[in-house]
């Protein structure tokens, strides 16, 4: 396995996984705080639909045009997510998000139904191809995610306020639908590129499992972010190493590593009693 770790394709795959883990764990903080757990699946499926449309039009899955087409559908999905929230919350927002996901998933299956390599395409979209990535893709994904990270840093006060209390944001006069769209659009930029690198399911895992694990122990914003990054990074490294040692597909191995960390953390909390205590810990 040590010899494999010295291979450029493994190092590139590991680097891409860690870069993806960093931005997804941060975005996952907002996703979990907003209670829109499946928005990542919906937007990832929108991106997957875009890639399939581009593929059927004769474009390569990793071409620039494919990314533009996929991003266009992802942004359309982001707009739908932003405007579909019922003001009185009579209908759960997750219901609309689920409908968006099912719609794009059904469209993918219909388009690929009579394509000879349809099963292979679905498998790659679902699981990604981390160990087939190039150095150029590593630099591209790093630059893209850093740009999105800077965007969120400059507008962090508004994004965090809406994630933590929509009512307070509304009382302060923020145009929530507009800021929601900006959040989901930037979220979509990340998800669109991630889908063809790591797959739909791993996007979901990196977004949800690290922040959920962190929430077992703290409500504090800074600690949650750090804990989420540590879990995402550790799960990614462990998953890659396990996949190399046992000759397994990397994305599922990383997902199982993240779930294992969550399970161990949950057991540790039950045994030790260490965790969030609403009477002692406040959000900051």
């Amino acid at each position: 396995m040590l010899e494999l770790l010295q291979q450029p394709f493994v190092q590139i795959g590991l680097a891409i996984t860690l870069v993806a883990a960093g931005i997804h764990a941060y975005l996952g903080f907002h996703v979990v705080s907003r209670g829109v757990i499946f928005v990542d699946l919906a937007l990832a499926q929108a991106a997957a639909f875009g890639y399939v449309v581009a593929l059927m039009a004769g474009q390569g899955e990793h071409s620039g045009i494919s990314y533009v087409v996929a991003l266009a559908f992802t942004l359309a999905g982001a707009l739908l997510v932003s405007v579909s929230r019922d003001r009185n919350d009579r209908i759960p927002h997750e219901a609309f998000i689920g409908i968006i996901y099912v719609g794009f998933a059904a469209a993918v299956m219909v388009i690929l139904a009579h394509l000879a390599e349809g099963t292979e395409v679905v498998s790659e979209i679902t699981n990604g191809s981390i160990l087939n990535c190039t150095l150029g893709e590593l630099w591209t994904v790093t630059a893209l995610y850093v740009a999105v990270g800077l965007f969120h840093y400059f507008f962090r006060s508004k994004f965090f306020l809406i994630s933590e209390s929509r009512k307070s944001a509304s009382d302060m006069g923020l145009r929530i639908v507009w800021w929601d769209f900006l959040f989901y659009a930037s979220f979509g930029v990340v998800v669109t590129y991630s889908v063809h690198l790591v797959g739909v399911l791993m996007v979901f895992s990196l977004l949800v499992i690290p922040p959920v694990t962190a929430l077992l122990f703290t409500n504090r914003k800074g600690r949650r972010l750090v804990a989420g990054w540590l879990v995402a990074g550790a799960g990614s490294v462990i998953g890659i190493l396990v996949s190399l040692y046992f000759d397994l597909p990397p994305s599922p191995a990383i997902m199982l590593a993240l779930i294992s960390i969550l399970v161990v953390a949950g057991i540790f909390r039950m045994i030790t009693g260490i965790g969030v205590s609403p009477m002692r810990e406040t959000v900051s």
Side-chain angles (χ1 to χ4, degrees):
M1 185 172 65
L2 291 178
E3 293 180 358
L4 282 175
L5 287 174
Q6 296 174 0
Q7 296 297 318
F9 75 94
V10 174
Q11 294 173 353
I12 291 172
L14 182 57
I16 285 180
T17 304
L18 289 174
V19 171
I23 189 68
H24 284 76
Y26 161 76
L27 291 171
F29 172 96
H30 289 283
V31 167
V32 172
S33 296
R34 292 175 182 224
V36 288
I37 308 302
F38 294 105
V39 69
D40 47 332
L41 274 179
L43 295 187
Q45 196 62 55
F49 176 74
Y51 281 119
V52 169
V53 169
L55 179 66
M56 297 302 291
Q59 299 297 321
E61 185 184 348
H62 297 276
S63 69
I65 294 178
S66 294
Y67 177 75
V68 171
V69 173
L71 180 59
F73 281 103
T74 306
L75 293 179
L79 180 61
L80 288 173
V81 170
S82 302
V83 302
S84 63
R85 185 158 197 154
D86 185 75
R87 289 188 176 183
N88 299 318
D89 287 330
R90 291 181 302 109
I91 303 174
H93 198 201
E94 284 282 78
F96 289 110
I97 292 171
I99 292 170
I100 294 170
Y101 166 75
V102 168
F104 280 115
V108 168
M109 289 187 285
V110 167
I111 292 177
L112 295 177
H114 299 293
L115 189 67
E117 62 271 24
T119 302
E120 181 181 339
V121 172
V122 171
S123 177
E124 184 165 348
I125 289 174
T126 303
N127 298 315
S129 53
I130 302 171
L131 296 182
N132 293 326
C133 295
T134 65
L135 185 60
E137 286 175 318
L138 171 60
W139 292 123
T140 300
V141 75
T142 301
L144 183 65
Y145 291 176
V146 167
V148 172
L150 289 174
F151 172 76
H152 274 262
Y153 176 77
F154 287 126
F155 297 108
R156 63 190 181 281
S157 59
K158 293 181 175 61
F159 288 138
F160 276 111
L161 178 61
I162 294 174
S163 293
E164 293 169 354
S165 176
R166 295 181 70 85
K167 184 178 183 306
S168 297
S170 179
D171 291 343
M172 291 179 62
L174 286 184
R175 298 171 60 187
I176 294 181
V177 172
W178 166 247
W179 285 104
D180 268 352
F181 174 70
L182 287 179
F183 172 78
Y184 290 121
S186 61
F187 181 91
V189 169
V190 171
V191 167
T192 301
Y193 205 85
S194 296
V195 163
H196 88 277
L197 293 178
V198 301
V200 172
L201 293 181
M202 188 168 150
V203 167
F204 176 81
S205 299
L206 286 174
L207 282 164
V208 175
I209 297 175
V212 167
T213 306
L215 269 175
L216 292 175
F217 301 99
T218 181
N219 277 330
R220 295 182 182 275
K221 181 168 58 183
R223 294 180 182 178
R224 280 178 61 189
L225 285 170
V226 172
W229 282 323
L230 291 174
V231 171
S236 298
V237 172
I238 292 171
I240 288 286
L241 294 177
V242 169
S243 73
L244 292 173
Y245 188 79
F246 292 102
D247 192 22
L248 300 171
S251 288
I254 292 171
M255 288 183 269
L256 290 175
L258 289 169
I259 293 172
S260 298
I261 292 174
L262 174 60
V263 171
V264 170
I267 294 173
F268 175 79
R269 182 187 176 189
M270 285 190 296
I271 293 175
T272 63
I274 297 175
V276 174
S277 175
M279 299 300 293
R280 291 186 290 110
E281 183 170 8
T282 58
V283 177
S284 62

